[in-house]
Amino acid sequence: MPSILRLRSALIMGVSAAAFGALSAPAIAQDTAGSSNMIEELVVTAEKREQSLQDVPIAISAFTSQQRDKVGISTVQDLTNFTPGFVYQSANDRASMRGIGRLTNVHSVDGAVSIYVDGLFTTSTVLAGGPPLDVERVEILRGPQGTLYGRNAIGGTVNVISVRPTEDFYAEVRGIVENYEFTNFQAAISGPIADGLRYRVSGYKLDQREGYYENVNGRPSEGSKRDEYQYQLQLEADLGENAELWASYKTLSWHNRGGPGARAGFLNGQYETGLLDPNFPVVYNSAFGYSNGIVPGSLVQFNGGVTKTNPALTDSHKFNTNITQRVRLSDVNSFTTQFVYHAQNFDIKYVGGFQEYNYDLYGDTDATNVQSYQIPLAAGSLCGNVAALFAVGASTVNCSPLTVNANNGYHYFEYPKWYSNEINISSTTDGPVQWIVGAFDYQEKYTGTGSTADFFLVGPSNLRTPVLGAAQNPDQFWSTGTYALTTQSRALFGQVDWDVTDTLKFTVGLRYTKDKKFGTENRRIVCNSDACYPGLYPALGLSGFGPGTAANYGSLLGNLGALPAVGQALGLGNALAGLGGLGNGAFDLTDTLAPKSTAGLIKGVTSPSVCTAGVCRQYTISSATGIASRALSDTSDATTGTAGLQWQPDDDTMAYARYSRGYKAFGFSAGGFLAVPKADAEFANAYEVGIKKNFPTLQLNAALFYIDYRDLQAPVTIRVGPTNVGQFVNIAKSRSSGLELSAIWQPAPPIRLTFDYGYNPTKILESVSLVDVNDNVTTTAVSVKGNKLPQAPEHKVAFNGAYTFDTDAGALTLGATYLYRSESYANVFTRSYNMAPSWDQVDLRAFWQPTGGKYTVIAYVKNVFDTEGYAAAVAGSQRNAPATGAAQNLEITPPRLLGMELQYRF
């Protein structure tokens, strides 16, 4: 066995003796100094009142700031590693729980895992990975939370609780350094302003100057490169003896950041070198320049590049593009406030706030370094004949092989702003009946691009001037799809817990929610390739001139204004004079590809319908911009809730059985101008039984669950003309079931072992047949029955342990973590090209804290063996596809990271 494999095996087998940790459900609070392996009680607010985690009758994982420091949980992805059933796709900021998640980033499609930061609902999962200096605790509730939370909680809920201002003066600074030129400097200061008034100011500045991925043509590296900062101001006041007020303002900024949108993986296939890119055939494929089919010597690459093959096939951390991928998060404003009034027998609590941000992502559409190339002329081509006539003075126009501008870029953006208000009243007596009632109001306005992006050419092209009188296209978009919508959600909820006896508790809860979404979507498609001109020229009566292709028309392709001169050169006199005013440019396909109806109004579209010869259009096209627009609007509502029994025969045992019903509002796949833009609401009926048991040296939590999942909202790609477009469908019935197990064992005072395991088999039970456009063998609709739910690995394992050396000088804890995750799939087609393979990883960590707790030193290695892990599954791509199907897109976890952190408390 090679030495590195022997070392790896020894580490994995020996982790129980030299490992370290304290994590997940059952999450346990830890001392800040001395022996830190004691199994202690952790108080959570999962059900909107303080309870011991061991008394909460649901499956929950919770992580304190001390635990995150000791285990090395610094991102949302780290949280998923130690939470059964939880998956996060960092490239798209999408969370899933037990196979229930969101499969698109369009804001008019709700998430399935609700994120609350200090009680305020947020649309971004990223904030759940805030630094431990600022985050006191993260609670992850698994399964539908359709009573107390409701909005977007059909899969589960993540609660983030910030560190609050202190009664006494406190200050702390932290510094973290890693390889890849990574630095993170954090600071917090807190204390009293006056009697009953406290403050806290905190912030960080994070930089990573070297990316995980190398551009082979000498351009900047990418992948997790960051220029990022955040700061937060909190004020907390005691308003007399019976009320408290807390308020927080936070802002942050990213520039060229890793994470959502940034480069996080690679395409596992050869360049697709066909003339027309299967994904984007309305423009010529840039990678065709790497083929032997171009005019010899005509290939021009940016920056003197010479690479013609996909470098990721030999090194997954290398790529070859000319446009650097950039992520910008700006204009972020987040304000949250909480007010609590303590009445004699109940508390009244208000939570409200406002958030907004601008997110922009720029990148290279074609994923190559090609600048330009020429398409050869066919034998006997029209262009060749015109060129020959020009050479002898018989033509006033010349012609040459078409030069393709291959510099394709994209811009994806999200500009949301939202506010929410919640008021709840909860009992505070010691009686056998505890209750909580409340009301919730949410409104969000957002603009953005559809599920893909705006695509455009940089540099010279005829996309600016579409022919046949179509509107000008100054930004050279060949595909644009945007939306501006509003979401409104209101709910009433209540829950009652009744101690029927000293050992038996009954819980029942109800929630009524009503959602409305309305606004406008826009779409335009402009074509400049062999996908559109072959139909245009025959329509103009020019079939005799040969096919409307670059090989025939060459540099005259799209230049309809030159046709009269061509006709004269060919001896036709003025026969083509009437075509002289048709322009020189690309062909607008917007109206051709926009959905029409012959069977009445389209569901969810509220624009007036104008019918001609039985074909109805529910959209208008602007004469100034050429953009098609239509109005979308609809509503949905639901009554959800929970019912459960909780049995607690002694202080160390709690068993429960729970039913929960979850709901996710209908959604619009806005910006795509789809024939079916709306999908109906989702519902989940979840059944769960569990036990939480404390032994003298062992804590064990286990849960069995079964979820009857109805009407999964699934975006499915289909081919419409020369473009791939999405349809939005409901998968009628699916099943998610499984076992989740978490344990903490302290066999001896210095040793602590933890184990988290999730088993989650899923299955689609009923669905219409669907077309998988990435399947190059079966091109007709296929059954998806029996396939797995997206983003649902069947097995997840996290094994972690600690050995602490206590000395008079302080405590040194050495440890290791072993992670394993089985394969998962990106969409409802359980195919190899949609799969994230199984993977495992080993981490090492050392934690030194001297007596008195004034400072802490942490040293660590993440991904010791530099293995490739797969954070989530990504759908395959027709680009680079072999004959049998799509090529894999693989999103991979970071390479080996070595770091050190110093914390100092004043």
Side-chain angles (χ1 to χ4, degrees), residues 557-891:
L557 191 69
N559 187 359
L560 304 185
L563 289 172
V566 171
Q568 290 179 346
L570 296 178
L572 300 179
N574 292 322
L576 302 183
L579 302 180
L582 298 184
N584 175 13
F587 185 44
D588 195 312
L589 291 176
T590 305
D591 185 61
T592 302
L593 298 179
K596 286 89 174 171
S597 174
T598 58
L601 300 178
I602 297 174
K603 191 176 181 180
V605 180
T606 56
S607 295
S609 180
V610 177
C611 301
T612 303
V615 177
C616 301
R617 290 172 168 82
Q618 277 186 270
Y619 58 88
T620 58
I621 297 180
S622 168
S623 59
T625 65
I627 293 175
S629 301
R630 64 180 181 179
L632 304 174
S633 182
D634 217 327
T635 62
S636 66
D637 66 328
T639 299
T640 57
T642 189
L645 285 173
Q646 182 176 347
W647 179 56
Q648 199 159 2
D650 55 62
D651 291 341
D652 294 321
T653 307
M654 191 274 286
Y656 66 91
R658 192 100 171 203
Y659 162 78
S660 298
R661 180 168 173 81
Y663 152 78
K664 188 174 87 169
F666 77 96
F668 286 125
S669 188
F673 238 69
L674 309 183
V676 184
K678 179 196 169 187
D680 293 331
E682 296 182 358
F683 292 91
N685 295 297
Y687 308 87
E688 181 173 306
V689 294
I691 186 169
K692 299 184 179 184
K693 177 67 176 176
N694 294 330
F695 299 94
T697 61
L698 174 67
Q699 189 175 86
L700 179 66
N701 291 356
L704 286 168
F705 65 91
Y706 180 93
I707 301 176
D708 173 19
Y709 186 24
R710 302 297 178 106
D711 290 325
L712 158 67
Q713 297 167 359
V716 180
T717 302
I718 64 172
R719 173 70 70 174
V720 176
T723 63
N724 287 343
V725 301
Q727 299 290 17
F728 211 25
V729 302
N730 289 106
I731 304 297
K733 186 177 180 180
S734 305
R735 178 195 72 210
S736 176
S737 58
L739 164 70
E740 294 168 348
L741 178 67
S742 297
I744 299 176
W745 182 34
Q746 189 181 9
I751 298 175
R752 183 191 191 95
L753 307 175
T754 71
F755 178 72
D756 291 275
Y757 171 67
Y759 172 61
N760 185 202
T762 63
K763 190 175 186 179
I764 295 174
L765 302 176
E766 296 179 15
S767 174
V768 296
S769 294
L770 300 170
V771 176
D772 180 3
V773 296
N774 285 331
D775 187 341
N776 295 326
V777 176
T778 304
T779 57
T780 56
V782 297
S783 173
V784 296
K785 293 180 183 178
N787 287 359
K788 298 178 181 295
L789 286 174
Q791 308 299 358
E794 193 163 318
H795 301 278
K796 283 183 66 182
V797 175
F799 187 67
N800 182 280
Y803 194 97
T804 298
F805 299 88
D806 278 317
T807 69
D808 292 339
L812 173 65
T813 303
L814 301 178
T817 298
Y818 173 73
L819 305 171
Y820 170 80
R821 188 178 301 186
S822 62
E823 70 275 4
S824 61
Y825 298 86
N827 54 33
V828 296
F829 298 104
T830 304
R831 306 291 182 89
S832 60
Y833 43 76
N834 297 323
M835 182 180 72
S838 61
W839 59 277
D840 63 356
Q841 179 175 311
V842 174
D843 301 336
L844 299 177
R845 203 165 180 89
F847 187 98
W848 163 252
Q849 191 164 58
T851 302
K854 200 73 173 175
Y855 67 89
T856 302
V857 180
I858 304 171
Y860 56 90
V861 182
K862 282 191 170 184
N863 194 4
V864 173
F865 300 102
D866 202 20
T867 58
E868 285 191 353
Y870 306 93
V874 184
S877 172
Q878 273 291 87
R879 173 179 289 167
N880 304 42
T884 54
Q888 281 181 299
N889 279 308
L890 295 173
E891 179 182 330

Side-chain angles (χ1 to χ4, degrees), residues 27 39 50 95 235 245 326 420 445 465 567 578 694 697 817 820 902:
I39 301 178
E50 290 188 351
L235 292 174
L245 177 67
R326 294 180 293 126
S420 72
K445 294 180 181 293
T465 55
N694 294 330
T697 61
T817 298
Y820 170 80
L902 173 64

Side-chain angles (χ1 to χ4, degrees), residues 194-208:
D195 188 28
L197 181 62
R198 300 167 294 280
Y199 76 95
R200 190 176 196 273
V201 179
S202 61
Y204 67 83
K205 180 65 175 75
L206 188 155
D207 294 279
Q208 182 170 320

